[in-house]
Amino acid sequence: MNNTASFSSRIISIDIMRGLTLFLMLFVNDLYMPAVPQWLGHTEAQTDGMGLADWVFPGFLFMVGMAIPFAYIIRKHHGDTDTTYFKHVVVRSMSLILIGVLMVNIGRLNPAMTGMPKYLWALCIYLCIFLIWNDYRLVPEIISKYTPILKSMGWIGLATCVFLFKAGTPASPEWLIPSWWGILGLIGWSYLVGSLVYLWIKDKIWASLLIWMAFVVLNGADLSGYTAFLDKLKPLFGVILGGNTPSIVLAGLFSGILLDKYRSKPVYLFITYSVIGVLCIIAGFVLRNWFIISKIIATPSWAMICNGISFILFGMLFFYIDYRGYKNRFSIFRSAGENSLTTYLVPDMIYYIIWSIGFPMLIYKNSTIPLVVILGSLLWAFMMIKWSSWLAKKGIKLKL
């Protein structure tokens, strides 16, 4: 029955939209080829505009924020105090930041100075990540009893890789640097902000809205040079002080608090999300008078337009999946949403293996026909989410 009586106690649309953004992320990240239409790719830094690829990451950030209230509620239900939740948030954030920094430094590695090929070092890092952060509760009992040993092997291997890492030249050697923190590092810092904000304000809607707007203002102030007096802090806390990605997570947090309060009123939520989404898009175009729409520069105009799309899209998914009950039509994305970190990292490992072999197995990348390239990348993205789903069933699933 398609009425409120069939309203599910689990919000499936959160997993599905998170999985959808991951699928699109794998798709657009595989599209770095000349034949790709411009509207599908990443827009250049100084270009005023955006394509599909420029929405995907903020779409995922939005879902990171949206899940925070429900993650907190679940942990409280299992007996966590605010103190234990705080510790969990810090450890999880630092884990994401660490992985992000390691990933962003792969391209800098000097093989001769490090003593091993770049892709081999990267694969060793990824293997150690899976050894350390795999959810061993899912593995067969014969393996789970070796969990401490496997985790220790992972940490020793990770420390060895970090110790061996060298970049630059023999005359001017360099080590690991945060750089722009990588995708996972940006998520880690922004998740930390969103989670601590929620720990402070809990389910207060207006407080979450005001803090979200404060970070939008901070984003604009930073780009306008008004936060230059904080420059000494920016090498470490630049993601937070820049305001951009935290503002997107906080938009999702605001959306999640709304959902928690009014989920029993799906029609009201659908209308509310649609109105807020339209207002965000309008705000983005208003801000365009001062800041171009740019993902690379991380402008508030870009962030607000992306938030508007996310509000509207989630409102539609929530209405049709959780209220109307059409969940099976999107089930392919649900597993990816439930195994997001695994789904994101596994394709990179496969890339590194292919590049190490040196054989052009992804033949569609050599095509000059846009349709062939696009269909090839779509197939790749579908294969990757199915592969991560299969791995989860076999007990290989990252959980920070």
Side-chain angles (χ1 to χ4, degrees), residues 288-324:
R288 192 185 186 195
N289 290 302
W290 299 277
F291 309 98
I292 65 171
I293 301 169
S294 175
K295 172 186 176 181
I296 305 302
I297 298 177
T299 59
S301 52
W302 163 74
M304 291 301 285
I305 291 172
C306 291
N307 286 335
I309 296 170
S310 298
F311 270 109
I312 294 170
L313 179 57
F314 180 78
M316 293 169 59
L317 289 174
F318 174 73
F319 184 82
Y320 284 103
I321 293 170
D322 288 284
Y323 175 55
R324 299 296 297 274

Side-chain angles (χ1 to χ4, degrees), residues 129-354:
I129 289 170
F130 275 87
L131 285 172
I132 295 169
W133 284 288
N134 189 59
D135 189 351
Y136 288 99
R137 296 172 300 177
L138 305 177
V139 301
E141 186 176 351
I142 192 172
I143 298 176
S144 63
K145 64 181 180 180
Y146 297 109
T147 297
I149 296 174
L150 294 172
K151 284 181 173 288
S152 297
M153 290 172 57
W155 281 114
I156 292 170
L158 197 68
T160 303
C161 288
V162 168
F163 175 76
L164 292 174
F165 180 91
K166 295 291 187 299
T169 65
S172 181
E174 299 174 356
W175 196 52
L176 297 169
I177 60 172
S179 186
W180 58 280
W181 299 99
I183 292 294
L184 294 183
L186 294 177
I187 293 172
W189 282 113
S190 304
Y191 165 77
L192 178 64
V193 171
S195 296
L196 295 184
V197 166
Y198 186 76
L199 189 60
W200 175 34
I201 67 170
K202 299 299 192 297
D203 60 352
K204 297 180 178 64
I205 292 177
W206 288 105
S208 68
L209 175 61
L210 289 173
I211 296 172
W212 168 25
M213 291 298 105
F215 271 84
V216 174
V217 172
L218 177 62
N219 185 192
D222 180 66
L223 292 176
S224 300
Y226 295 119
T227 61
F229 65 96
L230 298 172
D231 282 353
K232 290 184 178 180
L233 298 175
K234 289 180 181 178
L236 182 59
F237 299 108
V239 176
I240 297 175
L241 297 175
N244 184 266
T245 51
S247 77
I248 299 172
V249 169
L250 289 167
L253 176 64
F254 171 71
S255 177
I257 294 173
L258 281 175
L259 179 59
D260 182 40
K261 280 186 172 292
Y262 300 109
R263 59 176 301 196
S264 60
K265 301 178 179 180
V267 176
Y268 170 80
L269 269 178
F270 174 70
I271 296 172
T272 301
Y273 282 142
S274 299
V275 170
I276 294 173
V278 170
L279 290 175
C280 284
I281 293 172
I282 292 172
F285 279 99
V286 171
L287 287 167
R288 192 185 186 195
N289 290 302
W290 299 277
F291 309 98
I292 65 171
I293 301 169
S294 175
K295 172 186 176 181
I296 305 302
I297 298 177
T299 59
S301 52
W302 163 74
M304 291 301 285
I305 291 172
C306 291
N307 286 335
I309 296 170
S310 298
F311 270 109
I312 294 170
L313 179 57
F314 180 78
M316 293 169 59
L317 289 174
F318 174 73
F319 184 82
Y320 284 103
I321 293 170
D322 288 284
Y323 175 55
R324 299 296 297 274
Y326 296 138
K327 59 183 179 182
N328 292 333
R329 298 182 184 181
F330 303 91
S331 59
I332 190 171
F333 301 116
R334 184 175 180 180
S335 178
E338 293 173 340
N339 309 298
S340 55
L341 188 55
T342 308
T343 303
Y344 179 70
L345 292 183
V346 165
D348 281 356
M349 297 180 71
I350 298 176
Y351 279 136
Y352 291 134
I353 292 171
I354 293 173

Side-chain angles (χ1 to χ4, degrees), residues 86-164:
F86 171 79
K87 292 177 180 177
H88 165 75
V89 165
V90 171
V91 170
R92 195 179 190 200
S93 301
M94 293 304 106
S95 299
L96 285 166
I97 291 168
L98 171 61
I99 297 171
V101 169
L102 292 171
M103 290 176 65
V104 84
N105 276 276
I106 292 171
R108 299 180 57 250
L109 182 139
N110 185 317
M113 294 172 62
T114 303
M116 60 194 305
K118 179 186 298 184
Y119 300 140
L120 177 59
W121 187 88
L123 286 169
C124 288
I125 287 291
Y126 279 65
L127 176 61
C128 292
I129 289 170
F130 275 87
L131 285 172
I132 295 169
W133 284 288
N134 189 59
D135 189 351
Y136 288 99
R137 296 172 300 177
L138 305 177
V139 301
E141 186 176 351
I142 192 172
I143 298 176
S144 63
K145 64 181 180 180
Y146 297 109
T147 297
I149 296 174
L150 294 172
K151 284 181 173 288
S152 297
M153 290 172 57
W155 281 114
I156 292 170
L158 197 68
T160 303
C161 288
V162 168
F163 175 76
L164 292 174

Side-chain angles (χ1 to χ4, degrees), residues 344-395:
Y344 179 70
L345 292 183
V346 165
D348 281 356
M349 297 180 71
I350 298 176
Y351 279 136
Y352 291 134
I353 292 171
I354 293 173
W355 294 337
S356 296
I357 295 171
F359 182 76
M361 298 172 62
L362 305 177
I363 56 176
Y364 61 90
K365 288 182 174 290
N366 299 318
S367 177
T368 57
I369 303 173
L371 184 60
V372 172
V373 173
I374 292 169
L375 290 177
S377 291
L378 282 172
L379 179 60
W380 165 265
F382 274 116
M383 289 173 60
M384 291 303 100
I385 62 175
K386 295 296 288 185
W387 177 239
S388 67
S389 176
W390 182 84
L391 288 174
K393 293 176 182 177
K394 299 300 179 181

Side-chain angles (χ1 to χ4, degrees), residues 17-48:
M17 182 158 164
R18 187 163 48 211
L20 176 62
T21 58
L22 274 167
F23 167 78
L24 291 174
M25 193 179 297
L26 298 178
F27 168 59
V28 298
N29 286 347
D30 193 61
L31 278 175
Y32 280 104
M33 288 154 278
V36 175
Q38 187 175 3
W39 65 270
L40 283 174
H42 298 268
T43 307
E44 297 293 330
Q46 297 299 329
T47 301
D48 183 17

